[in-house]
Each structure stands twice: as C-alpha cells, then as structure tokens.
Amino acid sequence: MIFALTFGLALLLAVLLSALSERSPLSTSLIFLVAGLVAGPLALDAEHLSAPVIREIASIALFAVLFADGQQAPIHVLRRQWVGPTRALVIGMPLTFALVAVLAHLLLGLDWVTSMLLGAILAPTDPVFAAALVGRDDVTPRLRSLLNIESGLNDGLALPVVVLLIVALGGIAPGESAEVGPLLLEVGLGGVLGVVLPLVAAALVRLPFFGVEPRVQPLGPLAVAVLLFVACETAGANLYLAAFTAGITFASVSPTASAAFAPVGEFVGELSKNGALLAFGALVSPVLLAEVGIAGWIFAVLVLVVGRPVPVMISLLGTRTLNFRERLAAAWFGPKGFASVVYGLLVLESDVPEETHVLALVVATVIVSITLHSTTDVPVAAALRQRAGDAPAAAGRGSTVTADP
C-alpha cells in the first residue's frame, strides 16, 4: 500500500513538473529516486521490499524498455549505422570492464576477481536512462542509434561474465548455470526466441482467417512481449537480448504494427522505469550507504568520468560518421542503471565474499549516475544542437525516437 501511495504521489508530482523538466536539468527520474529514498529505510522506513522482489521489478522494467528500444533499430537502420555500436561493444565495453576493475583494485583494495566482478557489473550502459538523451529529437540519428544499440545489447552480454566471476569467488548465482556452455546457450536461445516469436506473430497476421482492427493493433506487439517474457523465463533464455532482438525483428517485419505500438511501448516503459526507480530507492538504507565509504564515492565518480569516457573515446577513434562533439556525448552518456542493480542483487543472493560491499558500490555508482546523467541530457542536447545549427526542437525527455537515417 505504501509503495502504491508513494508511486502515485511521485507520478502526480512528475506530471505537474513536466514542463519545467523539459527545459531544465530537473528530471522525472530524480523525482522517483528521491521518492523511493524517502519512503525507504533511509528516511521514513515505510516501505520494505526484499532483494528478489526489487531484482524482479528492475528486470521487468529493463525488459520492457529494451523491447520498445529495439523497435527503433530495424534491420535497414542497423545496416547503415553498425560501425559505431560495434566499436563501442567490441572495443569500448571490454576496455571499460578492465579500467573499472583496475580502479576498484587500486582505489578500494579489492582482490582482482572481486574487482573484475565490479567491472562486469558496471560495464553495461542502461537503456532506461540513455533514453533521456536518445529520446530527444534534437540529437542526431547516428548518435541516437549508437547509444540505443549499444545499451540494448551490452546488458545481456555482461550477464555470463558476471555469473562466471560469481562462481570464481565461490558463490552460486540463483537461477543461473555455472558452466560456460549453458551460459552461451542462454544467450543464443534469447536471440533465437527474440527472432522467432515476432516472425510467428507476423506470419499469423497474414493468414486469411485472421484480421487485425487498427484500434487494437498496438496490442499485438504487447502480446508478443508478454509471451516472450514467459518463454524466456521458462526456457532459461537471456531476457535482455531476447527483448532487444524481438524489438528489432518486429520493426523489421511488421513496421506498421511497430509504429502503432510506439506510444504504448513508451508509456509502459516509462511506468516500468519509474516503478523500478522507486523500488531501487527503497532498497537504499543507512547500513548500505555506510558500506560505501569516501573511497567508494570517489570510485563511483571515477567510473563515470573516466571508466566509461576514456574507453569509448578510444573505441571511436577514426570514425568518420560521428563528429567530435558527438563522440564526446557518446563517451559521457553511458549511464549505469537497472542492469547493474539486477546483477548487484544477484551477487547479494549468491553468498560471495564482500557481497554487501559490492552491492553498496554498485548502488552508489547508480545513484551518482542517475543524478549526473539525468540532469545533463538537456545541456548535452543543446550543445549538439548548437553545433548542428538547428532550431530548438519541440521534443524533450521521453519523446519517441524515429528510425530515420
């Protein structure tokens, strides 16, 4: 009851302040985060959610956003704009993993395996918060595609590494296999289900017996998303790769249905994100924050200002598709969010050494990231617009992303 009440009050406040949010650093993400912090043990101690419940809420939110975001990257867009995302995933993400691990080892004194575990948890960028910049029409399509595709794929790719490092530390990741073969199968199966289910749905629509009324057309992709989630949970497939792959497939084979679904997907994704932010805020307690320490907060800042920007700038060296300001924006805008929270809670449930300390560092990094990235999307977009010489766009936070080149 307290969770629902807090969510409703935060949602009302977000609506009332939405006009201010469009033109200032204030963001709805901060509103829901602060609401969760106030309702949780950090302040009023009115809401108590268990780690598995919070992990499930964050996982569902991430799935919903990835499914919607994947539909902004149909095959014809991927064919034209694959260079930047590929460089960010193949070069930038491993370098980020390594650099964050080095920072954790040198600054926090953690052993190398635990440091690498932190690196794997914090290497992915979050599509939920990247949408704050990706969702602006005054950001160039090539930069939007890079951030969208990168954040859509790196969450699922990080999971096998996280699980293997948990096992290396003597822990057991709940619901995850400890062997390389099954982990790779999980990733592959997620990709296969993400392609097959939308193709089956598209084939059914074309059968003479069936007909879809325009007013209910948005519910088709939503039904496929629900079935895909259930199929992945039943088969043990990678949820995040499945969601993003399904979005890409749907937009490629059923563009009309995908376009009809876009407002619904944005609405569902926004509600899921806000609910998960509230739950995340309610997770934070004085005991958890005490685990961070001054060195931990310094580490969190360095992850964001060094651990992400330096590797991405290196990975994008020599690319002609992005100008220097766009490369800087891509390097800076690598928010940490729900994927890191899900993996941090997985560590908490796995009985590895220093599990609480690892989660505390992840939570601190996510809090700093939400604060910094959700308040800099407007200035970053303005700087890019001035560079391009465009007039200010009418769209703001959360606007629908088009897939035009």
Side-chain angles (χ1 to χ4, degrees), residues 129-140:
F129 301 110
L133 188 64
V134 172
R136 300 186 64 92
D137 288 345
D138 45 7
V139 173
T140 59

Side-chain angles (χ1 to χ4, degrees), residues 10-50:
L11 187 60
L12 178 60
L13 184 61
V15 171
L16 294 175
L17 295 177
S18 58
L20 178 62
S21 176
E22 291 290 327
R23 60 180 186 272
S24 74
L26 176 70
S27 73
T28 56
S29 297
L30 275 179
I31 293 173
F32 282 90
L33 175 62
V34 171
L37 292 172
V38 171
L42 191 64
L44 300 180
D45 200 17
E47 184 58 66
H48 293 273
L49 297 175
S50 65

Side-chain angles (χ1 to χ4, degrees), residues 331-352:
W332 163 244
F333 221 80
K336 312 304 175 187
F338 293 139
S340 296
V341 172
V342 170
Y343 299 155
L345 290 171
L346 196 65
V347 171
L348 184 66
E349 299 173 58
S350 63
D351 293 326
V352 301

Side-chain angles (χ1 to χ4, degrees), residues 2-387:
I2 297 297
F3 186 88
L5 175 62
T6 308
F7 182 81
L9 290 173
L11 187 60
L12 178 60
L13 184 61
V15 171
L16 294 175
L17 295 177
S18 58
L20 178 62
S21 176
E22 291 290 327
R23 60 180 186 272
S24 74
L26 176 70
S27 73
T28 56
S29 297
L30 275 179
I31 293 173
F32 282 90
L33 175 62
V34 171
L37 292 172
V38 171
L42 191 64
L44 300 180
D45 200 17
E47 184 58 66
H48 293 273
L49 297 175
S50 65
V53 169
I54 296 173
R55 182 159 64 90
E56 193 66 25
I57 292 173
S59 187
I60 292 172
L62 193 54
F63 180 90
V65 172
L66 285 169
F67 182 73
D69 282 359
Q71 295 183 55
Q72 313 308 326
I75 295 297
H76 71 271
V77 171
L78 292 177
R79 285 174 179 167
R80 290 195 301 269
Q81 300 177 350
W82 62 272
V83 176
T86 301
R87 281 172 169 253
L89 287 167
V90 175
I91 302 173
M93 186 178 175
L95 285 177
T96 300
F97 164 76
L99 186 51
V100 172
V102 170
L103 287 173
H105 180 71
L106 297 180
L107 188 60
L108 304 175
L110 298 176
D111 64 85
W112 276 113
V113 180
T114 304
S115 298
M116 288 189 289
L117 178 59
L118 261 177
I121 292 172
L122 295 174
T125 56
D126 193 274
V128 178
F129 301 110
L133 188 64
V134 172
R136 300 186 64 92
D137 288 345
D138 45 7
V139 173
T140 59
R142 56 183 177 261
L143 177 57
R144 280 186 271 151
S145 288
L146 188 157
L147 293 172
N148 188 37
I149 296 167
E150 179 200 10
S151 62
L153 293 174
N154 59 19
D155 295 326
L157 296 176
L159 179 57
V161 182
V162 171
V163 173
L164 289 174
L165 288 169
I166 287 174
V167 174
L169 286 168
I172 300 175
E176 301 289 344
S177 173
E179 299 178 5
V180 175
L183 284 173
L184 294 178
L185 178 63
E186 176 183 336
V187 172
L189 189 57
V192 170
L193 287 175
V195 172
V196 170
L197 284 185
L199 288 178
V200 170
L204 287 174
V205 169
R206 293 182 175 90
L207 292 176
F209 180 77
F210 296 109
V212 180
E213 285 290 325
R215 63 186 177 84
V216 298
Q217 196 171 38
L219 298 181
L222 182 61
V224 171
V226 173
L227 293 173
L228 179 64
F229 186 90
V230 174
C232 289
E233 288 283 272
T234 303
N238 190 296
L239 275 173
Y240 310 136
L241 284 179
F244 195 71
T245 305
I248 293 172
T249 306
F250 229 115
S252 302
V253 301
S254 302
T256 303
S258 178
F261 172 75
V264 177
E266 183 179 346
F267 177 73
V268 172
E270 189 70 13
L271 282 181
S272 301
K273 176 195 80 172
N274 292 335
L277 266 173
L278 195 66
F280 169 68
L283 166 74
V284 181
S285 67
V287 175
L288 195 63
L289 290 184
E291 279 280 338
V292 180
I294 295 177
W297 290 108
I298 295 172
F299 166 78
V301 172
L302 289 177
V303 167
L304 302 176
V305 301
V306 178
R308 155 78 180 187
V310 171
V312 171
M313 289 299 288
I314 292 173
S315 71
L316 296 178
L317 283 175
T319 54
R320 298 179 180 179
T321 55
L322 298 171
N323 61 44
F324 182 69
R325 285 199 183 190
E326 289 169 333
R327 292 199 296 270
L328 277 178
W332 163 244
F333 221 80
K336 312 304 175 187
F338 293 139
S340 296
V341 172
V342 170
Y343 299 155
L345 290 171
L346 196 65
V347 171
L348 184 66
E349 299 173 58
S350 63
D351 293 326
V352 301
E354 299 195 75
E355 55 187 26
T356 306
H357 192 203
V358 169
L359 177 63
L361 293 168
V362 171
V363 166
T365 305
V366 172
I367 289 174
V368 174
S369 178
I370 292 172
T371 303
L372 293 180
H373 290 115
S374 66
T375 56
T376 54
D377 58 322
V378 172
V380 169
L384 291 170
R385 185 173 62 241
Q386 290 166 8
R387 171 70 177 180

